[in-house]
Amino acid sequence: MPGSQFSVLQEDVCVPSRRVLVTGATGLLGRAVCREFQNSGWWVVGTGYRRARPRLLRCDLLDEDAVRTLVHDYKPDVIVHCAAERRPDVVERHTEAAVNLNVHATATLAKEAAGSGVFFLYISTDYVFDGRNPPYGEDDSPNPLNLYGRSKLEGERETLRHCPGAAVLRVPVLYGEVEFVAESAVTALWPRVQEGAAESCTLDHCLQRFPTDARDVAAVCRKLSERGIQDRSIRGIFHFSAKERMSKYEMAVAMAQAFNLPSSHLIPLTEQPAGSAVRPVNSELNCSRLELLGLSVEPRPFRAAITDCLWPFLPDKRWRQTVFH
C-alpha cells in the first residue's frame, strides 16, 4: 500500500497522536465513525472493498496477509470494526459469504489487534437475542433466531477469544445520513410514506425496534476508544440504543408527521411477513453499563433526527445538491 495513502481522511499538516482504523468506512455507520473521530482530532484510516472510493483504502478483509500488512503499516491505536453483512435476508441467501465477513474476517482482525496491542472495538447487534424476555443486559444469554444473529454472535466470540482486551458494542437497527434511502431499513420506509393517498401500504406493526442514529453510535465508539486506550478494564460487552420503541408502521407515521404528509394510506400489519428471516419481537437492550461508566450519549429524538436524514430526499431535487458537500 503506497505511503501516499496514509492521509486517508486527514491532511498531512499536523499529525495527530492517536490513530484509528475503521473497517466498512463506506457504510452508514463506518462513515459516521470516521467523521466523529476526525472531528475529535484523530488520524483516521478508513477501509472499504467493493465500494471503496478515493481517500479510502481498498482492502479485502478476507485476505489475512492484506489485513496483517494494513495493521502493520498504519499502526493504529484503535480498530473499529464496522464492516459486516448486516441484512438478515441476504445472510440467509448468501450464508457462506456472510459468515466469511462476519466471523472469519473478524477473527483475523482480532488476532492482529491482540498481537499489536491495539484496542479492538467490534460492532455487533441486538439480534443476538431472541426477543422473548427484554430488556437484555450484557450478561444475559444470547439466543439468536436467524443466521445473521448467529454470525454476529460468533463474531463476538471470535473477538473475545483472540483479543481478550477487546470491546463489543451491540446496537439495534440504525439510520442516519444515508447516501440513498434504501441504505437503512429505517429510511427505506420513506418512499412508502411519500406514496400518500395514491396507494395503500401495509407495514409491520408487530416487531418492536429501537431505531438509533448512527451519529450517536459513532460518538459512543469514540468515547469507548478514548477510555479503552487508557484503561484496560474497558473490555467485554457493552450495549447502546435509543430509547424510543417503534414498529416500522410507527416509524413511517412519525416520518409523515415530521414532513406534514398524510399517513392514512399506511396500514399496520400485526403478523410477521412470511418468507423472510425470523426477527426477534422485542430485543430491547439495557444500556446501563455504558451509562454507569459515563461513556454513553443522549440519543437524538427520532422525529428530529429522521428529519435531518430525509430532507435531502424531498421532491425538490435542489435540496440534494448540498447534502454531501
Side-chain angles (χ1 to χ4, degrees), residues 146-217:
N146 56 40
L147 288 173
Y148 166 65
R150 289 198 286 275
S151 72
K152 293 299 287 182
L153 178 59
E154 193 59 32
E156 291 184 10
R157 290 169 174 165
E158 289 293 286
T159 292
L160 297 175
R161 180 164 73 93
H162 294 295
C163 188
V168 170
L169 180 64
R170 292 173 178 155
V171 296
V173 63
L174 302 182
Y175 65 97
E177 296 179 350
V178 294
E179 293 185 341
F180 52 96
V181 290
E183 189 175 19
S184 160
V186 177
T187 53
L189 300 171
W190 180 235
R192 301 184 186 186
V193 173
Q194 291 182 294
E195 287 173 2
E199 186 176 348
S200 63
C201 174
T202 58
L203 290 171
D204 173 65
H205 192 43
C206 173
L207 305 181
Q208 300 300 306
R209 297 171 169 88
F210 293 80
T212 300
D213 195 311
R215 293 171 293 181
D216 294 335
V217 177

Side-chain angles (χ1 to χ4, degrees), residues 20-25 29-30 33 37 45 47 59-62 67 70 78-85 98-110 113 118-125 151-152 155-156 158-159 166-169 171 217 221 225:
V20 60
L21 172 64
V22 181
T23 70
L29 179 58
V33 169
F37 276 84
V45 177
T47 76
C59 180
D60 180 359
L61 298 179
L62 303 181
V67 171
L70 180 69
V78 172
I79 297 174
V80 182
H81 183 29
C82 300
E85 178 48 73
V99 169
N100 282 338
L101 180 58
N102 292 358
V103 181
H104 302 317
T106 299
T108 300
L109 281 161
V118 176
F119 181 73
F120 185 58
L121 176 55
Y122 172 67
I123 306 300
S124 190
T125 174
S151 72
K152 293 299 287 182
E156 291 184 10
E158 289 293 286
T159 292
V168 170
L169 180 64
V171 296
V217 177
C221 289
S225 299

Side-chain angles (χ1 to χ4, degrees), residues 251-270:
M251 292 181 215
V253 169
M255 293 176 193
Q257 293 172 344
F259 289 96
N260 296 314
L261 297 174
S263 62
S264 58
H265 66 294
L266 303 173
I267 311 300
L269 181 66
T270 56

Side-chain angles (χ1 to χ4, degrees), residues 206-257:
C206 173
L207 305 181
Q208 300 300 306
R209 297 171 169 88
F210 293 80
T212 300
D213 195 311
R215 293 171 293 181
D216 294 335
V217 177
V220 170
C221 289
R222 176 185 55 78
K223 294 179 75 170
L224 265 172
S225 299
E226 289 175 345
R227 182 79 66 84
I229 59 177
Q230 298 174 340
D231 180 357
R232 291 301 177 177
S233 71
I234 302 300
R235 55 193 290 182
I237 298 171
F238 299 85
H239 290 172
F240 178 73
S241 172
K243 298 176 172 61
E244 295 174 85
R245 183 174 67 184
M246 310 176 80
S247 66
K248 282 191 173 182
Y249 166 75
E250 289 170 321
M251 292 181 215
V253 169
M255 293 176 193
Q257 293 172 344

Side-chain angles (χ1 to χ4, degrees), residues 10-69:
Q10 201 129 5
E11 297 298 330
D12 288 359
V13 177
C14 180
V15 179
S17 59
R18 299 173 298 182
R19 301 176 182 177
V20 60
L21 172 64
V22 181
T23 70
T26 59
L28 172 64
L29 179 58
R31 294 195 306 270
V33 169
C34 286
R35 190 178 304 115
E36 173 70 26
F37 276 84
Q38 185 178 4
N39 289 343
S40 298
W42 285 66
W43 189 284
V44 180
V45 177
T47 76
Y49 186 48
R50 291 186 178 88
R51 292 196 294 163
R53 61 194 70 178
R55 303 179 72 233
L56 293 179
L57 297 179
R58 187 176 188 275
C59 180
D60 180 359
L61 298 179
L62 303 181
D63 183 337
E64 294 187 17
D65 289 337
V67 171
R68 189 173 299 112
T69 299

